[in-house]
């Protein structure tokens, strides 16, 4: 019988070819998380199935949304590059260069959501920003074990991260947003960049963003379905949403 990880990837509509590539990588990642969790406090459980559902599948539940945002940013950057320095005056369309867009995982911790997203989207560059050096060592080791050549690790605090560094910044498990934190997050985005925050209840999001002075039309709340977590009505369910805010 397939594991919850494989069943979850199927429920998230990953093609079988991608599941065959991605599942072993995520199994290896879960192994590393469990091995180093007690030393580095990476996740809130050592249970393999819980890690698969609450952390891996949760991170991957937004993969299509993140990909769409990155594709859009890459297309814009490609057009800007052609306008600035056209290699061929007769060229009517921008080159397809998705590598132009850089996605950051801010406060990456154990690499969530950055490592699962980077494994699922190898065409994009990911930067894992983490302030604790020992966790950075774990992240570098995990990326090497998984062979993720599209991942860089930066040992930095959010406030000390260079401005206008990233096209997309994502994060999960942050404390509630406050004005100072939001300004720091938006500052690391390039002009036109996008903040994509994994959050829980819609009502809490509305209250949080309202306290920051944002009207509901100023951002998007997109519901996420996390297999085995939000796709049934059992007692363990949690509401999950992705908040999308443009810089």
């Amino acid at each position: 019988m397939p594991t919850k990880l494989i069943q979850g990837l199927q429920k998230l509509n990953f093609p079988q070819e991608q599941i065959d590539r991605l599942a072993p990588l995520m199994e290896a990642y879960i192994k590393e998380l469990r091995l180093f969790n007690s030393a580095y406090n990476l996740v809130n459980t050592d249970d393999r199935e819980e890690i698969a559902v609450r952390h891996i599948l949760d991170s991957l539940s937004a993969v299509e949304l993140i990909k769409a945002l990155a594709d859009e940013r890459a297309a814009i950057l490609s057009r800007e590059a052609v306008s600035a320095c056209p290699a061929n005056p007769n060229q009517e369309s921008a080159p397809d260069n998705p590598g132009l867009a850089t996605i950051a995982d801010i406060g990456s911790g154990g690499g969530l959501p950055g490592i699962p997203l980077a494994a699922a989207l190898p065409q994009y560059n990911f930067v894992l920003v983490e302030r604790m050096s020992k966790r950075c060592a774990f992240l570098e080791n995990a990326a090497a074990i998984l062979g993720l050549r599209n991942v860089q690790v930066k040992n930095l605090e959010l406030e000390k991260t260079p401005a206008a560094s990233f096209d997309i910044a994502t994060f999960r498990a942050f404390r509630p947003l406050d004005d100072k934190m939001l300004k720091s997050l938006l500052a690391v985005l390039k002009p036109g960049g996008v903040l994509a925050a994994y959050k829980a209840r819609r009502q809490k999001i509305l209250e949080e963003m309202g306290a920051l002075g944002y009207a509901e039309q100023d951002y998007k709340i997109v519901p996420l379905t996390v297999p085995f977590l939000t796709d049934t009505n059992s007692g363990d369910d949690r509401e999950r949403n992705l908040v999308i805010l443009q810089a």
Side-chain angles (χ1 to χ4, degrees), residues 40-220:
Y40 295 163
N41 192 26
L42 303 169
V43 290
N44 58 4
T45 179
D46 286 324
D47 183 83
R48 184 192 164 283
E49 297 281 81
E50 280 198 52
I51 293 174
V53 173
R54 294 182 177 274
H55 297 290
I56 306 299
L57 295 178
D58 184 75
S59 295
L60 291 174
S61 65
V63 69
E64 287 302 317
L65 294 167
I66 301 293
K67 181 180 182 299
L69 292 171
D71 287 346
E72 184 178 355
R73 283 292 298 161
I76 291 170
L77 293 169
S78 292
R79 288 195 295 270
E80 290 176 351
V82 169
S83 298
C85 186
N88 182 354
N90 298 319
Q91 186 175 359
E92 294 182 358
S93 60
D96 182 14
N97 188 1
L100 281 171
T102 299
I103 303 167
D105 176 13
I106 304 295
S108 188
L112 298 154
I115 285 182
L117 289 174
L121 300 172
Q123 68 270 43
Y124 285 105
N125 295 317
F126 284 78
V127 179
L128 312 183
V129 179
E130 170 54 41
R131 66 182 180 84
M132 295 180 64
S133 58
K134 65 179 183 179
R135 287 181 177 172
C136 288
F138 168 81
L139 294 172
E140 289 172 344
N141 183 64
I145 288 173
L146 272 57
L148 300 180
R149 297 183 179 181
N150 60 330
V151 168
Q152 284 184 300
V153 178
K154 298 289 186 182
N155 186 189
L156 288 170
E157 295 180 10
L158 169 61
E159 294 77 11
K160 296 181 180 178
T161 302
S165 293
F166 311 117
D167 297 288
I168 298 169
T170 188
F171 64 88
R172 66 192 287 271
F174 256 34
R175 63 189 185 274
L177 283 172
D178 58 33
D179 188 61
K180 180 181 177 182
M181 186 190 306
L182 183 58
K183 285 180 179 177
S184 296
L185 286 164
L186 294 175
V188 302
L189 291 171
K190 297 175 184 177
V194 180
L195 182 66
Y198 288 70
K199 288 284 186 178
R201 292 176 53 227
R202 178 184 178 88
Q203 187 57 41
K204 285 287 187 182
I205 294 168
L206 294 173
E207 292 170 4
E208 197 172 303
M209 297 302 288
L212 292 167
Y214 284 87
E216 194 171 346
Q217 63 267 24
D218 295 334
Y219 58 95
K220 292 181 182 178

